[in-house]
Amino acid sequence: MMRIALALLFCLLAGTATAGPWPRAPGGVFASLSREIRSGDDWDALYVEYGWNERMTFVLDAGRSQNGGWIAILSTRIPLWTLGRHHFAVSVGGGKEHVVYPGLSDDIDPNALLHYGMTPGDYMLMQYGASWGMGFDSRFGSGWATLDGTLRKSSIGNREERKLDATLGVNLSDSNTLFSQAQYSWTKYSEGQLRLGLGWVRHFGPLAIEAGIGKRLRLDRETDAKIGLWLTF
């Protein structure tokens, strides 16, 4: 039962997105609304970027599980420097997480839950991030690669999560984009989880439709499907 609960923990913590080091143009907005379909616990996500000025982009990253858990993080992304095609940025922010564990039974020792940082309830979080990204040209079209590292830590208790996300994408045409992702996350007292994903985006001017599939390679080893809408203006 503890193993099931840890799998649910990764579902809650690893359901949000990263977007690389590039700043959003001042006044520009990017918004994504998506659903990740999982075995018994779908995840709805909202991701919004707003370009405050040339040096500051505000990011809202939020999600909610079918079982009632949710998380919302507001952060600021600041570019550090650019070396040729290589871009670097850092981010800092905070928010709140509501934790539920529907897979737990009453016979589990509460002290064990506390040790694993798994006590249900509300937690205030701090988030720190660092990003690298580069653009490139290929025989298939222009593309990009990013690497994002994130640390989330609660103000009380033992809850701590670290994530490393790698993305490789190619614009096959003006209206079609293909990308792949590798996402690794681990908490302070449990095994890491690795997810590999493949996504496709169809653009219709400022609106786009996203579809994708993913596979977790550790713990629950489940397969998921994702569908979403992107809006840029």
Side-chain angles (χ1 to χ4, degrees), residues 112-196:
L113 297 180
L114 183 63
H115 174 75
Y116 282 98
M118 294 173 58
T119 306
D122 293 327
Y123 294 84
M124 301 303 296
L125 300 175
M126 289 298 296
Q127 175 174 289
Y128 310 92
S131 300
W132 162 86
M134 62 170 287
F136 61 86
D137 294 318
S138 73
R139 59 178 296 186
F140 304 104
S142 61
W144 78 96
T146 61
L147 187 63
D148 298 277
T150 306
L151 169 65
R152 286 180 181 162
K153 187 174 179 62
S154 64
S155 56
I156 58 174
N158 294 321
R159 295 183 66 79
E160 180 178 304
E161 183 217 12
R162 302 177 183 183
K163 295 198 305 175
L164 188 62
D165 299 336
T167 303
L168 179 66
V170 176
N171 297 306
L172 301 176
S173 66
D174 291 339
S175 57
N176 290 282
T177 299
L178 186 68
F179 64 92
S180 60
Q181 285 185 317
Q183 300 169 308
Y184 186 73
S185 61
W186 66 101
T187 60
K188 193 172 183 180
Y189 296 105
S190 59
E191 300 178 55
Q193 174 65 286
L194 176 62
R195 176 186 181 273
L196 301 181

Side-chain angles (χ1 to χ4, degrees), residues 2 9 34 40 47 49-50 62-63 72 82 85 87 93-94 105 133 161 170-171 175 194 199 203 205 217 222 228-229:
M2 182 65 73
L9 174 66
S34 64
Y47 180 86
E49 290 186 356
Y50 174 70
T82 299
R85 296 182 299 171
H87 301 262
S105 62
E161 183 217 12
V170 176
N171 297 306
S175 57
L194 176 62
H203 302 271
L217 303 183
E222 70 176 352
L229 292 175

